[in-house]
Amino acid sequence: MSSTFDQVATIIAETCDIPRDTITPESHAIDDLGIDSLDFLDIAFAIDKAFGIKLPLEKWTQEVNDGNATTEQYFVLKNLSARIDELVAAKGA
Amino acid sequence: MDLEYFKLIDRILDLRIDEKTITVEARVPQHNTIFEGHFPGYPIMPGVLLIESMAQTSGWLLLALMKFQRMPFLAAVKEAKMRGFVSPGELLTIDANVLHEGSGYAMTEAKVRVDGKLKCNATITFSHIPFPHPDLREHMDAMAKRIGFPQQAIADD
């Protein structure tokens, strides 16, 4: 799996005290790992710092609330990792 | 400091938008019923109120950075350390700086000092949203005026 996923999984494990080996690319941060919105702020902070980006949490939340996206698109870890890669690429462009 | 109305900050001493820092001062009241219970014969400022004073200081900084378009709300307090007692009548000098500005949230570091001596510090997380009610915006504008918020600091950029 991508190194982005590995980094994200490590961040989640350390931030939320979740055993690393229970976190997979298919894990849904909210539904499977039980991470709530406040804990996710700590994860977002660590991801922002680690990758030098700014996860657009407000935009994502708005899209989900408006029915224009599903939580799976952003919070299943393989998808989250892909979004991070896109943000990193956009930053370097 | 008006404890009854939870107005803990008296005056903004320094606000630097570019550096994302703020310094305020707040005088702990000499007399207040809080000190009758906390504690009899040994009155000290409750730690939770010192934390609140750091949160309010950070809040003014974030309000400035967001040009009063969004309201920060306390979300989490980490590494809060009470390093010394604060007594009635003492003048607090509170500094805060931004640690991180995320999407819809921000983190700050804050310190409370008395006569230059560090009394407590914490890392504080805020979520922020557009002002949810015009009355709140009006209230914050009035509060800003009361504590000498330097409007020119956010006017030009």
Side-chain angles (χ1 to χ4, degrees), chain B residues 13-33:
Chain B
L13 298 178
D14 190 40
L15 172 64
R16 300 184 185 210
I17 298 295
D18 292 346
E19 296 169 32
K20 300 178 183 177
T21 62
I22 191 171
T23 302
V24 309
E25 68 179 11
R27 173 80 66 183
V28 178
Q30 189 68 49
H31 301 285
N32 191 280
T33 53

Side-chain angles (χ1 to χ4, degrees), chain B residues 107-121:
Chain B
M107 292 180 178
T108 68
E109 296 171 319
K111 296 182 174 75
V112 176
R113 292 185 175 87
V114 174
D115 293 330
K117 186 171 181 183
L118 185 63
K119 295 292 186 176
C120 64
N121 63 288

